[in-house]
Amino acid sequence: MQAEAALRREPGFAYRAGQSRMPVSASAYRPGAPASAGVCHRGASNPARPTPSPRTRGAHEQLLLASDTQRGGGGQSVEWFFDNIDHALMLRAVRKHVTCKWALLYIERWLRAPMEQDDGTRIERTCGTPQGGVVSPILSNLFMHYTFDLWMTRTHPDLPWCRYADDGLVHCQSEQEAQTFKVELQTRLAACRLELHPTKTKVVYCRDGRRRGKYPNVKFDFLGYCFRPRRVLNHRDNTLFCGFTPAVSVSAMKAMRATIRELGFRRRTELSVADIARQINPLLRGWLAYYGRYAPSALAPVLRYVNLTLRAWVMRKFKRFAAKKIRAGHFLERMAREHANLFVHWRMGMIGVFA
């Protein structure tokens, strides 16, 4: 039932009707918009730097307010956010878009349906959206559209910003402006019965070759990318400069390695290399398409981990390579040259090393 409501295309349903009104800066759950749209929503080569304007051109300082929203303290911000959306305010936002009576009826029932625990006890739900429901992200994004997006457009039209679900970035020109905005945002969220995450909300200085000031925070993670000062190649004259640019984050690479481990194919000697390729290629294709959009070379540790896992599998499957890492590595190097289409990263020329 939730899936049917979420996918309805009639103008009467909430999200489809309101979708065209959502700004490009709010990229979460937009049909046809990948998560990477939140990283590069401004269309600039450097997504962390606003398009030059009289306010940003030159040696002005630039700071970001990187924030998550939640209700209460501790825990993952998205979990707290989804669990504590006020029902009255949520339904008020929904009624601005939903005209179908049965849709309104079922949305209200979904919101207020009791939660059943493992021991069979039921807990009445007075706030929040149902975790795991396909309509929950849509309702939550609609709530944040009125809580944050429209408020930003109305009260701070000069500040560039980006939001994906409950994670957001706001560009400011000075620390004073960032701290003042933080207080205003806390007041706005309190009016909507939400709170800023106490530890994840911080002011970040976008230090690069032009902005060389000192500040405690000069990096942040957003949508699996880590934004920080990096050495960047200028392709016009092949010189290096310091830029504030994104690349895959350490936590994202850790999660990718954990996913590869969970496949457990290094011990599955009954598989063929083609079987392994069929399992892992969809994952690699998605990671390379998303995280390889900026600084693809930063994915080298993950691709090397894939190769080393393949080497461990070879050493277990073939007795002649048992306890012989160098020979197993040379075997895979020949395979990568002769059968480059076997794995996605081999096909793209990102073979890496096997030692």
Side-chain angles (χ1 to χ4, degrees), residues 35-57:
S36 58
V39 181
C40 61
H41 73 278
R42 298 192 62 82
S45 58
N46 183 351
R49 179 179 299 157
T51 303
S53 68
R55 278 191 93 225
T56 59
R57 191 179 293 113

Side-chain angles (χ1 to χ4, degrees), residues 71 77-85 87 115 125-131:
R71 175 76 180 269
S77 60
V78 173
E79 293 176 357
W80 281 99
F81 169 67
F82 277 59
D83 286 341
N84 291 279
I85 291 178
H87 284 176
M115 179 176 60
R125 187 185 296 273
T126 59
C127 58
T129 59
Q131 287 283 356

Side-chain angles (χ1 to χ4, degrees), residues 209-243:
R210 296 179 304 154
R211 295 178 284 262
R212 302 182 180 182
K214 293 184 178 180
Y215 199 76
N217 300 318
V218 293
K219 66 178 182 178
F220 66 93
D221 287 358
F222 185 59
L223 299 181
Y225 280 91
C226 178
F227 292 77
R228 65 175 178 82
R230 303 176 193 273
R231 298 180 70 182
V232 183
L233 176 65
N234 187 334
H235 293 284
R236 288 179 293 183
D237 54 11
N238 289 327
T239 59
L240 293 175
F241 66 95
C242 181

Side-chain angles (χ1 to χ4, degrees), residues 51-285:
T51 303
S53 68
R55 278 191 93 225
T56 59
R57 191 179 293 113
H60 293 292
E61 291 187 335
Q62 181 183 346
L63 291 95
L64 291 173
L65 180 66
S67 66
D68 296 338
T69 55
Q70 72 164 17
R71 175 76 180 269
Q76 292 293 323
S77 60
V78 173
E79 293 176 357
W80 281 99
F81 169 67
F82 277 59
D83 286 341
N84 291 279
I85 291 178
D86 184 83
H87 284 176
L89 294 177
M90 179 75 263
L91 292 172
R92 181 180 172 185
V94 168
R95 291 189 182 100
K96 285 183 173 289
H97 299 272
V98 177
T99 58
C100 182
K101 292 184 178 180
W102 72 260
L104 279 171
L105 174 65
Y106 277 100
I107 289 173
E108 187 170 358
R109 287 180 177 178
W110 292 330
L111 289 175
R112 296 177 178 174
M115 179 176 60
E116 184 172 331
Q117 296 184 320
D118 294 337
D119 58 1
T121 59
R122 291 190 175 186
I123 300 177
E124 295 297 324
R125 187 185 296 273
T126 59
C127 58
T129 59
Q131 287 283 356
V134 295
V135 78
S136 185
I138 299 176
L139 295 177
S140 301
N141 198 43
L142 183 66
F143 186 86
M144 286 303 296
H145 173 62
Y146 286 98
T147 300
F148 181 78
D149 303 351
L150 294 184
W151 176 77
M152 283 294 299
T153 304
R154 183 176 66 252
T155 61
H156 298 282
D158 57 329
L159 295 183
W161 60 274
C162 176
R163 178 184 65 81
Y164 192 93
D166 66 331
D167 298 336
L169 305 174
V170 179
H171 294 260
C172 301
Q173 291 299 306
S174 66
E175 182 178 9
Q176 181 180 0
E177 184 180 40
Q179 296 293 356
T180 301
F181 173 79
K182 182 179 178 181
V183 174
E184 295 179 11
L185 182 58
Q186 288 174 329
T187 303
R188 170 60 180 175
L189 294 179
C192 298
R193 299 176 178 85
L194 295 172
E195 293 180 2
L196 285 175
H197 194 289
T199 58
K200 292 184 179 180
T201 303
K202 57 185 178 181
V203 176
V204 180
Y205 181 61
C206 302
R207 188 169 62 191
D208 59 13
R210 296 179 304 154
R211 295 178 284 262
R212 302 182 180 182
K214 293 184 178 180
Y215 199 76
N217 300 318
V218 293
K219 66 178 182 178
F220 66 93
D221 287 358
F222 185 59
L223 299 181
Y225 280 91
C226 178
F227 292 77
R228 65 175 178 82
R230 303 176 193 273
R231 298 180 70 182
V232 183
L233 176 65
N234 187 334
H235 293 284
R236 288 179 293 183
D237 54 11
N238 289 327
T239 59
L240 293 175
F241 66 95
C242 181
F244 193 83
T245 57
V248 59
S249 67
V250 173
S251 59
M253 288 194 290
K254 183 178 179 180
M256 285 184 273
R257 287 192 292 265
T259 300
I260 295 170
R261 279 196 302 272
E262 289 173 0
L263 294 177
F265 63 80
R266 69 165 60 202
R267 296 179 178 274
R268 299 188 60 186
T269 56
E270 78 279 5
L271 297 177
S272 66
V273 68
D275 295 331
I276 295 175
R278 278 192 293 270
Q279 290 187 35
I280 201 172
N281 274 342
L283 296 173
L284 294 177
R285 190 177 295 110

